[in-house]
Amino acid sequence: MGFFKILFVFIFCSFPWPTIQSDLETYIVHVESPESLITTQSSLTDLDSYYLSFLPKTTTTISSSGNEEAATMIYSYHNVMTGFAARLTAEQVKEMEKKHGFVSAQKQRILSLHTTHTPSFLGLQQNMGLWKDSNYGKGVIIGVIDTGIVPDHPSLSDVGMPSPPAKWKGVCESNFTNKCNNKLIGARSYQLANGSPIDDDGHGTHTASTAAGAFVKGANVFGNANGTAVGVAPLAHIAIYKVCSSDGCSDSDILAAMDAAIDDGVDILSISLGGSPIPLYEDSIAMGAYSATERGILVSCSAGNDGPFHGSVDNSAPWILTVGASTLDRKIKATVKLGNREEFQGESAYRPQISNSTFFTLFDAAKNASDEFKTPYCRPGSLTDPAIRGKIVLCLAFGGVTIVDKGQAVKDAGGVGMIIINSPDDGVTKSADAHVLPALDVSDADGTKILAYMNSTSNPVATIAFQGTIIGDKNAPMVAAFSSRGPSRASPGILKPDIIGPGVNILAAWPTSVDDNKDTKSTFNIISGTSMSCPHLSGVAALLKSTHPDWSPAAIKSAIMTTADTLNLANSPILDERLLPADIFATGAGHVNPSRANDPGLVYDIPFEDYLPYLCGLNYTNRQVGNLLQRRVNCSEVKIILEAQLNYPSFCITELGSTPQTYTRTVTNVGDATSSYKVEVASPKGVAVEVKPTELNFSELNQKLTYQVTFSKTTSSSNFVIVDGFLKWTSSRHSVRTMGLLKILLVFIFCSFQWPTIQSNLETYIVHVESPESLVTTQSLLTDLGSYYLSFLPKTATTISSSGNEEAATMIYSYHNVMTGFAARLTAEQVKEMEKKHGFVSAQKQRILSLHTTHTPSFLGLQQNMGVWKDSNYGKGVIIGVIDTGIIPDHPSFSDVGMPPPPAKWKGVCESNFTNKCNNKLIGARSYQLGNGSPIDSIGHGTHTASTAAGAFVKGANVYGNADGTAVGVAPLAHIAIYKVCNSVGCSESDVLAAMDSAIDDGVDILSMSLSGGPIPFHRDNIAIGAYSATERGILVSCSAGNSGPSFITAVNTAPWILTVGASTLDRKIKATVKLGNGEEFEGESAYRPKISNATFFTLFDAAKNAKDPSETPYCRRGSLTDPAIRGKIVLCSALGHVANVDKGQAVKDAGGVGMIIINPSQYGVTKSADAHVLPALVVSAADGTKILAYMNSTSSPVATIAFQGTIIGDKNAPMVAAFSSRGPSRASPGILKPDIIGPGANILAAWPTSVDDNKNTKSTFNIISGTSMSCPHLSGVAALLKCTHPDWSPAVIKSAMMTTADTLNLANSPILDERLLPADIYAIGAGHVNPSRANDPGLVYDTPFEDYVPYLCGLKYTDQQVGNLIQRRVNCSEVKSILEAQLNYPSFSIFGLGSTPQTYTRTVTNVGDATSSYKVEVASPEGVAIEVEPSELNFSELNQKLTYQVTFSKTTNSSNPEVIEGFLKWTSNRHSVRSPIAVVSA
């Protein structure tokens, strides 16, 4: 074996291992297996004696320095190989070679280390999906062979960890025993470890925490990448094996560690180290991994950091999972700005305490370098030029110096900053290092431009700015430049690497603080390498092992590979460092997708006995194969197989000539017991691929079926070229993809099938079609449904993209439960062709949904540093006036950290008793009569609504630990002005009008009002009157629709100049369960969480039974629960009764009750509130309450217990209309459709004045409450974002943008439901559910000319005086040409009293999308109504151009029933869809 030393910069260096002039070196000695010992089951001591017999009889020799040299046994192996490691001289080895049974002795190699956002980037989410299914990897043991560990790091906390499984036989070394716990269950060290498992390098701590670290909040480096760090398998156990030091990692130590790990009982081995590619029989890691795999242990190894060069991949044995590295969608951005104003982007984890935009002179370290091999690379000690002082120094990357060390050298020489110029091979791959001074790295191309600028001027200057963490790189995942590439030198017929995973700029645990913070153990670092990608895959393997404990290592590997992603976040092919589609030797099967790997459908399991004919097929000698297998082998007696015949999840066909090559594969069914798979082949160009059979039909789980693949060359060219394609087995639910690569004789190098390019016009559409009645009536198979769906794809399956590439329409998913339709990759032209087909309903571009914790901004699609948050700069500069119950000014949600001063137009004040409470976030505070002289909030409602609209980012927000995460308002950089008009009594109209009056003068942009009276005419409605004036001054007024649902005609605040907001649910539930004594269980919701879980059953008590006062006792009003029998029982209370749910609980607690079940009224359906109860309690539906009462009546001793499951995210029925949300039509103006829109209003977590869980030690207090009061500020925040992005938009335009882009489907792509789980009607949802991202770019808008409100109001038959009261001037309606309500230029239609005479109205739309654009109309006419639109096409030639269309509604039935029917009208261009809902009530 070779002999190497590797520096921890992770670059191969050639200088030798340092010795003390000794001739002794460590050899790994292979010997024949002692058959007699094996057959007699002898003890290990006998095996050790056998090994010792090989040592020379003379155990000492004299070294060249005159010292005695003793031959010493170091390790005795009994698992990974037959042999041992010993310190020997060359002469002693020669003597040993003469002994019977000796096989070989090779000098050990020194192997190198292949050096948190990642779980969420990988799709791992708390309490759902794979994390939930695998219980976060609970019970699985990951062995990490590395540089050791720092045991007291928070990432290795065992809080919530179970004890290790009974099979665990490992130890914590004696000097480390008290450092272990239920997370870190084992720790061993070896020779290079210097006697302790403690990590003095950092690499091992980083990799271990990446694989299985615990949740640690506030993880960051210089404040960058800030968030909660967590490993991929956070409940897995870790066993550490320290084999490395700063000098490297000896393969004798590695073998000893693997040997011990097998005995200890690990499930996964994670090895982020390696040498150079060598034959498998010489590769110690391959040997040890073979034995581990044979014992059921999956071995995950890094592919190496020698990319982007082909043939550089390491650890490529087929029994190893070989992992390449990819980027995240996170960048830690820094920018260098030159004196000529050119700017170049780089990355850096450095963050200055004070921003400094000073320009400094540039200095090129390579220019006039005293030592051209050191100075250009800024090697420590080489920067001796005094001219460096006070300058920004340009250094070249690499040169055997770590990037951070370069910075220290520059700092030591007096430099003030550094620019590192990467090598050309690095392309766009950059590292975000924790520098010791302002520094960043830039690409070679940008570096060349910087140097050109320096040569163009006598005074080159620059400044470096640090933008910090940016999330949302659509090119991610991208192959890292350093990631080693295939093909495998050891076995080119096995495609390597197998997979890629995150390995660039990974934040994980670190032994010390890189930003010099001495006051914390929560220390992290950001580093890069395939060393970082390997533990990600180790963690994924642990999750799969936990979920599928019977899966073999090969099955786990297959699941990971066949479900891998081949497209990036932009739905284009994964790119490499050149921004070109990455080849198959860079990506292998693709990028890991843990969720899909958990349910692969089929797996390729490899019979372990197949490795023998495979190894013989590599033309290894018997002895070489025997070394690997640890037994005698005679290959002449073995029927050898070619590499491509191994049952591997990929194909790598080498040198395909004129003779076809045929191979078989066997797949095992781990999906649906009864299932059918059809094959799809993307044949490489110049190759014909034939698969037999083309369909696999399974009838049971774990059934195995075999297919045959024949590869034939179809060209006569004699040039060598590599082409690739894929083979995919698809059922109704699974897609099992196998990559293929062929080396054949062809003229050109092509990809074998036309991948979509970066300029691709293909996008994913969700296509709805009519139900195929003939199939339904005949009970046809799903395959027939699939054929029906395929018939909608264009006959011409490919088109030519704008870049000249073929665009293939591709079916992605075929749905049969959630909807009638499918998902497909299509161009806009292909969609238009599809629209002509009979049965087509609609095709919508898919939305990319992001799930985070606390939670409404992410539920609304708002993501940091991208989309509408980025475009609007988080609402920066916009002022939201909140008219409510006041505010708590010192709450963290109203911190002004990072906030700019208020804009110059601001004229508001903070009242004299409140002046020192205001800041750049809370810029104004006034109180009115009912405010009792102070803007302080004594109720909580105002604090909650204000923080929902524009609260700052606050980490660790929760209630009793539920909904835990970062709380943030919808417009976090908007300013807040508070107007306190309410107290516990209510809110007086005079105060409300006074507040609106002040707000108009003060200069607010948005008014958020979560209050109202009952539905009354507008001329009597003071909110409508004040809102009219505000709207006239350009202020958008957002109001709640009321909480009187689900009854119709209950909506309030319905004036057409007001944005009227109904309430919807989130996809988050805070789940609790009541279990009865008969075993029945019923789900509810509750924000209560007990400190100690209690499964005790308590007797049930019905408060309504024999109630002393039937108007109070059933509702558990305070003072009404006087029955002493309540003590020690769980009490059933009815909801409502004008008693808050939390107050009911206090009454029960005061009466001695131990728990409470609140039964909702039947009209609330499935809507439930998660309240912060004062005792164990939950809310259940009326239907479930009836069953609980029936159980109580069935037994003399009814008992129950309440369990609390906490936060659950992923309800596909969301958003759903909340039961309490008031419904239309508007009583004041039924010809205007109300509410306008719905937004999140159920169980919303936001700021609160006090701690509801009695925590006296924090100001970070939150509560979870429900109501349209909560949905209104969400829409106020969205309006602020749109106002910031489009400051010239009027209130009507902002409202139109939100309404015409609203969602009408839920997360399951079904129509939005109401509390009955039925499709919600138009009076519940209005235009639909707000979609901020789409509202930011609506295409067309309906602006309402303000002068049109006068004819509209006159048309309502108001008197001149009534209209004058509203608009604050004299009006004579007889001189005004009045209009019907439906004629107002509103973004929706509400047609009342449609009789035999058609009704015609006009609308005018303004183009705010593409200057030159064409829109075609689509009409979904309500049943019994004909709708005609003229013209049917609108053609725009410039921005802000206005065009008018006419709509005629005609009744087509003779029915006289005044029923409500719904439809819509939609204008569609190639980029926008502008939808107006239609409600028709016939006469």
Side-chain angles (χ1 to χ4, degrees):
M1 285 185 272
F3 188 62
F4 305 92
K5 176 183 174 184
I6 308 299
L7 287 178
F8 276 8
V9 291
F10 319 127
I11 299 173
F12 252 117
C13 300
S14 59
F15 44 90
W17 181 267
T19 65
I20 310 176
Q21 297 184 338
S22 171
D23 294 334
L24 284 173
E25 291 184 272
T26 301
Y27 286 79
I28 296 174
V29 182
H30 290 258
V31 296
E32 291 178 356
S33 178
E35 301 298 334
S36 60
L37 295 183
I38 293 175
T39 56
T40 59
Q41 303 277 306
S42 74
S43 67
L44 294 178
T45 53
D46 291 334
L47 189 59
D48 291 342
S49 300
Y50 173 65
Y51 290 159
L52 283 168
S53 71
F54 286 86
L55 290 184
K57 291 178 182 178
T58 304
T59 57
T60 59
T61 62
I62 305 299
S63 74
S64 56
S65 59
N67 297 310
E68 286 190 345
E69 305 278 39
T72 311
M73 180 83 74
I74 301 173
Y75 299 116
S76 170
Y77 304 123
H78 59 275
N79 287 311
V80 294
M81 58 172 275
T82 306
F84 56 90
R87 295 275 291 165
L88 301 163
T89 65
E91 291 74 19
Q92 290 167 339
V93 170
K94 287 179 181 176
E95 186 178 341
M96 191 185 296
E97 288 172 351
K98 303 170 186 174
K99 300 213 172 190
H100 176 71
F102 175 87
V103 175
S104 67
Q106 295 169 312
K107 290 179 184 177
Q108 73 171 1
R109 296 185 302 158
I110 302 300
L111 307 180
S112 68
L113 294 163
H114 292 157
T115 297
T116 39
H117 181 68
T118 46
S120 59
F121 180 67
L122 293 175
L124 299 172
Q125 299 172 23
Q126 288 194 57
N127 300 310
M128 63 186 295
L130 178 53
W131 258 0
K132 180 181 179 183
D133 293 346
S134 67
N135 204 355
Y136 300 85
K138 186 176 181 180
V140 175
I141 304 168
I142 302 177
V144 180
I145 297 179
D146 213 288
T147 67
I149 203 158
V150 173
D152 54 354
H153 194 283
S155 291
L156 304 169
S157 164
D158 68 347
V159 173
M161 286 291 301
S163 302
K167 71 170 185 172
W168 175 243
K169 301 294 188 291
V171 298
C172 279
E173 289 185 349
S174 57
N175 59 354
F176 209 80
T177 305
N178 63 349
K179 302 288 188 181
C180 285
N181 58 22
N182 284 334
K183 165 61 74 176
L184 178 60
I185 62 173
R188 299 177 184 267
S189 62
Y190 297 83
Q191 281 203 349
L192 280 187
N194 302 321
S196 169
I198 289 287
D199 183 10
D200 50 13
D201 174 77
H203 192 277
T205 301
H206 198 282
T207 57
S209 66
T210 299
F215 288 85
V216 182
K217 296 178 182 175
N220 67 83
V221 172
F222 285 109
N224 293 300
N226 193 26
T228 297
V230 62
V232 176
L235 288 189
H237 305 282
I238 296 170
I240 199 77
Y241 301 84
K242 183 177 177 182
V243 300
C244 304
S245 68
S246 58
D247 293 316
C249 327
S250 77
D251 58 4
S252 61
D253 286 0
I254 293 166
L255 277 172
M258 297 176 81
D259 205 70
I262 294 169
D263 276 343
D264 290 348
V266 303
D267 300 293
I268 311 292
L269 263 178
S270 188
I271 306 177
S272 290
L273 43 92
S276 57
I278 55 175
L280 301 179
Y281 60 84
E282 291 181 4
D283 187 339
S284 297
I285 291 179
M287 292 178 194
Y290 182 92
S291 296
T293 307
E294 191 174 23
R295 314 293 173 86
I297 300 167
L298 182 136
V299 182
S300 170
C301 292
S302 47
N305 297 329
D306 293 323
F309 307 109
H310 286 94
S312 57
V313 68
D314 192 17
N315 295 321
S316 60
W319 46 85
I320 289 174
L321 178 65
T322 310
V323 186
S326 63
T327 64
L328 296 173
D329 64 336
R330 178 186 69 204
K331 291 186 176 181
I332 304 178
K333 184 179 170 186
T335 306
V336 57
K337 184 175 182 179
L338 306 182
N340 63 0
R341 297 189 176 181
E342 282 186 286
E343 290 187 14
F344 302 98
Q345 284 187 19
E347 289 201 57
S348 175
Y350 181 86
R351 181 182 287 183
Q353 294 180 350
I354 300 173
S355 181
N356 187 349
S357 57
T358 305
F359 280 77
F360 295 92
T361 303
L362 290 167
F363 182 92
D364 180 11
K367 197 168 185 178
N368 303 317
S370 59
D371 185 335
E372 63 179 348
F373 297 106
K374 293 182 179 180
T375 311
Y377 302 101
C378 298
R379 185 181 289 276
S382 69
L383 300 176
T384 56
D385 192 331
I388 289 173
R389 187 166 300 278
K391 295 185 175 64
I392 295 175
V393 180
L394 274 71
C395 304
L396 297 180
F398 302 119
V401 188
T402 68
I403 287 177
V404 173
D405 287 347
K406 295 176 193 286
Q408 188 64 55
V410 170
K411 188 176 183 181
D412 293 343
V416 296
M418 175 176 67
I419 300 169
I420 297 170
I421 301 176
N422 280 337
S423 77
D425 293 324
D426 279 350
V428 297
T429 300
K430 301 164 190 166
S431 61
D433 298 277
H435 294 287
V436 296
L437 82 172
L440 81 168
D441 68 345
V442 298
S443 68
D444 176 75
D446 289 345
T448 301
K449 294 174 184 175
I450 295 170
L451 290 169
Y453 158 71
M454 292 179 66
N455 292 328
S456 71
T457 177
S458 60
N459 184 30
V461 294
T463 185
I464 302 174
F466 300 88
Q467 289 80 29
T469 307
I470 309 291
I471 292 178
D473 182 6
K474 293 296 186 183
N475 280 336
M478 184 163 60
V479 180
F482 56 74
S483 185
S484 289
R485 308 311 207 251
S488 163
R489 289 187 188 177
S491 184
I494 299 294
L495 180 60
K496 290 285 178 169
D498 295 305
I499 196 90
I500 57 173
V504 178
N505 298 330
I506 304 301
L507 182 141
W510 199 251
T512 57
S513 171
V514 295
D515 49 5
D516 203 31
N517 183 348
K518 302 290 194 302
D519 299 322
T520 182
K521 290 183 177 179
S522 186
T523 50
F524 294 83
N525 199 4
I526 295 173
I527 56 177
S528 300
T530 55
S531 280
M532 281 64 256
S533 52
C534 168
H536 280 98
L537 271 292
S538 303
V540 172
L543 299 178
L544 300 181
K545 186 68 175 177
S546 182
T547 312
H548 307 284
D550 57 334
W551 279 9
S552 69
I556 292 173
K557 184 159 82 167
S558 169
I560 292 171
M561 291 173 63
T562 61
T563 59
D565 292 331
T566 57
L567 301 179
N568 59 20
L569 295 185
N571 270 324
S572 297
I574 290 173
L575 307 176
D576 65 14
E577 70 284 348
R578 302 165 299 168
L579 293 179
L580 296 175
D583 65 45
I584 202 167
F585 288 134
T587 64
H591 190 273
V592 62
N593 183 325
S595 300
R596 288 188 61 210
N598 193 38
D599 183 20
L602 306 176
V603 293
Y604 295 78
D605 208 347
I606 299 178
F608 209 79
E609 57 269 24
D610 282 3
Y611 287 124
L612 172 56
Y614 155 80
L615 290 167
C616 290
L618 292 178
N619 294 319
Y620 289 175
T621 67
N622 293 343
R623 177 172 288 188
Q624 290 166 344
V625 176
N627 282 354
L628 264 168
L629 274 57
Q630 300 178 61
R631 58 185 173 88
R632 290 181 183 273
V633 168
N634 187 342
C635 284
S636 64
E637 299 173 359
V638 174
K639 186 178 179 182
I640 64 171
I641 61 173
L642 297 176
E643 299 154 275
Q645 180 54 44
L646 200 63
N647 202 50
Y648 213 71
S650 59
F651 292 86
C652 195
I653 313 302
T654 58
E655 298 183 2
L656 180 63
S658 57
T659 304
Q661 296 184 26
T662 299
Y663 303 96
T664 60
R665 289 290 189 273
T666 299
V667 286
T668 305
N669 180 24
V670 296
D672 301 320
T674 303
S675 52
S676 179
Y677 289 76
K678 289 186 175 179
V679 75
E680 174 190 349
V681 177
S683 295
K685 278 193 176 178
V687 177
V689 179
E690 184 182 10
V691 180
K692 292 182 179 179
T694 59
E695 185 168 346
L696 300 174
N697 296 300
F698 295 90
S699 58
E700 58 185 9
L701 278 177
N702 296 315
Q703 182 181 356
K704 296 179 185 293
L705 291 177
T706 298
Y707 65 92
Q708 178 179 284
V709 188
T710 299
F711 301 88
S712 306
K713 196 170 81 163
T714 60
T715 172
S716 58
S717 171
S718 59
N719 291 6
F720 276 98
V721 69
I722 296 168
V723 291
D724 53 85
F726 67 81
L727 179 156
K728 183 163 64 176
W729 291 99
T730 305
S731 73
S732 60
R733 204 167 66 81
H734 294 99
S735 178
V736 187
R737 192 176 191 273
T738 301
M739 298 298 295
L741 177 144
L742 300 95
K743 190 189 296 180
I744 61 173
L745 304 173
L746 289 178
V747 180
F748 303 107
I749 297 180
F750 287 103
C751 192
S752 62
F753 53 100
Q754 194 61 50
W755 288 89
T757 68
I758 301 171
Q759 294 81 27
S760 172
N761 296 326
L762 286 171
E763 291 184 87
T764 299
Y765 286 77
I766 296 173
V767 182
H768 291 255
V769 296
E770 292 177 356
S771 179
E773 300 300 331
S774 60
L775 296 182
V776 172
T777 55
T778 59
Q779 303 274 302
S780 74
L781 297 172
L782 295 177
T783 51
D784 292 330
L785 189 60
S787 301
Y788 172 65
Y789 291 159
L790 283 169
S791 71
F792 285 88
L793 290 185
K795 290 178 181 176
T796 305
T798 58
T799 61
I800 305 301
S801 75
S802 55
S803 58
N805 295 307
E806 286 189 342
E807 306 277 39
T810 309
M811 183 84 74
I812 300 173
Y813 298 113
S814 172
Y815 304 119
H816 60 277
N817 287 316
V818 293
M819 59 172 271
T820 304
F822 55 92
R825 294 272 294 164
L826 301 161
T827 64
E829 291 74 21
Q830 290 167 340
V831 171
K832 287 178 183 176
E833 184 178 343
M834 191 184 295
E835 287 171 352
K836 303 170 188 175
K837 302 214 173 189
H838 176 71
F840 176 88
V841 176
S842 67
Q844 294 172 310
K845 291 178 185 176
Q846 73 169 0
R847 294 181 300 157
I848 304 300
L849 304 178
S850 176
L851 294 173
H852 298 126
T853 313
T854 298
H855 180 75
T856 47
S858 59
F859 180 68
L860 292 175
L862 299 172
Q863 300 174 22
Q864 288 193 56
N865 301 311
M866 62 187 297
V868 67
W869 256 1
K870 180 181 179 183
D871 294 345
S872 68
N873 203 356
Y874 301 83
K876 186 176 180 180
V878 176
I879 304 168
I880 302 177
V882 180
I883 297 179
D884 213 289
T885 67
I887 202 163
I888 296 295
D890 56 353
H891 193 285
S893 291
F894 307 118
S895 164
D896 68 346
V897 173
M899 288 291 300
K905 71 170 185 171
W906 176 243
K907 302 294 186 291
V909 298
C910 281
E911 290 185 348
S912 57
N913 59 353
F914 209 79
T915 305
N916 64 348
K917 302 289 188 181
C918 285
N919 58 22
N920 285 334
K921 165 62 75 175
L922 179 60
I923 61 173
R926 299 177 185 266
S927 65
Y928 298 83
Q929 284 194 22
L930 282 186
N932 300 322
S934 169
I936 290 289
D937 183 10
S938 58
I939 295 172
H941 193 275
T943 301
H944 199 282
T945 56
S947 66
T948 298
F953 288 85
V954 182
K955 296 177 183 175
N958 67 80
V959 172
Y960 285 109
N962 294 299
D964 190 35
T966 297
V968 62
V970 177
L973 287 189
H975 305 283
I976 296 171
I978 200 77
Y979 301 85
K980 183 177 177 182
V981 300
C982 307
N983 63 14
S984 57
V985 175
C987 324
S988 78
E989 282 188 317
S990 60
D991 285 358
V992 172
L993 275 175
M996 296 178 82
D997 206 68
S998 298
I1000 293 170
D1001 279 341
D1002 290 347
V1004 303
D1005 300 294
I1006 312 292
L1007 261 178
S1008 188
M1009 303 177 64
S1010 292
L1011 44 92
S1012 73
I1016 54 175
F1018 299 145
H1019 60 84
R1020 290 171 46 204
D1021 185 342
N1022 285 302
I1023 291 179
I1025 293 168
Y1028 183 92
S1029 297
T1031 306
E1032 191 174 21
R1033 313 293 175 85
I1035 300 167
L1036 182 137
V1037 182
S1038 169
C1039 292
S1040 49
N1043 297 330
S1044 299
S1047 301
F1048 286 97
I1049 321 179
T1050 54
V1052 295
N1053 297 320
T1054 60
W1057 48 85
I1058 289 173
L1059 178 65
T1060 310
V1061 186
S1064 64
T1065 63
L1066 296 174
D1067 63 337
R1068 178 187 68 204
K1069 291 184 176 182
I1070 304 177
K1071 185 179 169 186
T1073 307
V1074 57
K1075 184 175 183 179
L1076 307 181
N1078 62 0
E1080 284 185 285
E1081 291 186 13
F1082 302 97
E1083 281 188 17
E1085 289 202 57
S1086 176
Y1088 181 86
R1089 181 182 286 182
K1091 292 180 180 178
I1092 302 173
S1093 182
N1094 188 347
T1096 305
F1097 281 77
F1098 296 92
T1099 302
L1100 290 168
F1101 182 94
D1102 181 11
K1105 198 168 186 178
N1106 303 318
K1108 178 181 174 183
D1109 184 339
S1111 66
E1112 292 191 355
T1113 311
Y1115 301 102
C1116 298
R1117 184 180 293 277
R1118 285 229 188 155
S1120 70
L1121 300 176
T1122 56
D1123 192 330
I1126 289 173
R1127 187 167 298 279
K1129 295 185 175 64
I1130 295 174
V1131 181
L1132 273 71
C1133 304
S1134 297
L1136 306 178
H1138 301 290
V1139 184
N1141 283 351
V1142 173
D1143 289 344
K1144 296 177 194 286
Q1146 189 63 57
V1148 170
K1149 188 175 184 180
D1150 292 345
V1154 295
M1156 176 177 66
I1157 301 169
I1158 298 173
I1159 301 175
N1160 269 345
S1162 58
Q1163 65 265 31
Y1164 268 35
V1166 297
T1167 300
K1168 301 163 192 167
S1169 61
D1171 301 281
H1173 294 285
V1174 296
L1175 82 172
L1178 80 167
V1179 178
V1180 298
S1181 68
D1184 290 345
T1186 300
K1187 295 174 184 175
I1188 294 171
L1189 291 168
Y1191 160 71
M1192 292 180 67
N1193 292 327
S1194 72
T1195 178
S1196 59
S1197 180
V1199 293
T1201 186
I1202 302 174
F1204 301 88
Q1205 289 80 27
T1207 307
I1208 309 292
I1209 291 177
D1211 181 7
K1212 293 297 185 183
N1213 281 335
M1216 184 163 61
V1217 180
F1220 54 75
S1221 185
S1222 290
R1223 308 312 207 245
S1226 163
R1227 183 171 290 178
S1229 183
I1232 299 294
L1233 180 61
K1234 290 285 178 171
D1236 294 306
I1237 200 156
I1238 59 173
N1243 298 328
I1244 303 302
L1245 181 141
W1248 200 249
T1250 57
S1251 172
V1252 296
D1253 50 2
D1254 203 29
N1255 183 349
K1256 302 289 194 300
N1257 300 320
T1258 183
K1259 289 183 178 179
S1260 187
T1261 50
F1262 294 84
N1263 198 4
I1264 295 173
I1265 55 177
S1266 299
T1268 54
S1269 282
M1270 282 64 257
S1271 51
C1272 166
H1274 280 98
L1275 272 291
S1276 304
V1278 173
L1281 299 178
L1282 300 182
K1283 184 69 176 175
C1284 188
T1285 312
H1286 309 282
D1288 57 334
W1289 280 8
S1290 70
V1293 167
I1294 293 173
K1295 183 159 77 166
S1296 169
M1298 288 193 272
M1299 291 175 63
T1300 61
T1301 59
D1303 292 330
T1304 58
L1305 301 179
N1306 60 20
L1307 295 184
N1309 272 323
S1310 297
I1312 291 173
L1313 307 176
D1314 65 14
E1315 69 285 349
R1316 301 165 299 168
L1317 294 179
L1318 297 174
D1321 64 45
I1322 202 166
Y1323 290 132
I1325 66 170
H1329 191 273
V1330 64
N1331 184 322
S1333 299
R1334 290 188 61 211
N1336 194 39
D1337 183 21
L1340 305 177
V1341 291
Y1342 295 80
D1343 204 351
T1344 306
F1346 210 78
E1347 57 269 24
D1348 282 5
Y1349 287 124
V1350 175
Y1352 158 80
L1353 291 167
C1354 290
L1356 291 179
K1357 308 302 182 187
Y1358 288 176
T1359 67
D1360 293 347
Q1361 185 173 353
Q1362 290 166 344
V1363 176
N1365 285 351
L1366 257 171
I1367 67 175
Q1368 301 177 56
R1369 60 183 173 88
R1370 290 182 181 274
V1371 169
N1372 186 341
C1373 282
S1374 64
E1375 298 175 358
V1376 174
K1377 185 178 180 182
S1378 66
I1379 61 173
L1380 296 176
E1381 299 154 276
Q1383 181 53 42
L1384 200 64
N1385 201 48
Y1386 213 71
S1388 58
F1389 293 85
S1390 183
I1391 312 302
F1392 258 74
L1394 181 63
S1396 57
T1397 303
Q1399 296 184 24
T1400 299
Y1401 303 95
T1402 60
R1403 289 288 190 274
T1404 299
V1405 287
T1406 305
N1407 179 25
V1408 295
D1410 302 319
T1412 304
S1413 51
S1414 178
Y1415 289 77
K1416 289 186 177 179
V1417 75
E1418 174 189 351
V1419 177
S1421 296
E1423 191 173 350
V1425 176
I1427 299 178
E1428 184 181 6
V1429 180
E1430 293 181 0
S1432 60
E1433 185 168 350
L1434 299 175
N1435 296 300
F1436 295 90
S1437 57
E1438 58 185 9
L1439 279 177
N1440 297 314
Q1441 182 182 355
K1442 297 179 184 291
L1443 292 177
T1444 298
Y1445 66 92
Q1446 178 178 284
V1447 189
T1448 300
F1449 300 86
S1450 306
K1451 195 172 174 184
T1452 59
T1453 66
N1454 295 323
S1455 172
S1456 58
N1457 293 336
E1459 60 179 328
V1460 181
I1461 45 182
E1462 304 173 16
F1464 65 83
L1465 180 155
K1466 186 163 61 175
W1467 291 98
T1468 304
S1469 72
N1470 61 355
R1471 203 167 68 82
H1472 295 100
S1473 178
V1474 187
R1475 186 184 186 275
S1476 294
I1478 299 170
V1480 178
V1481 179
S1482 57

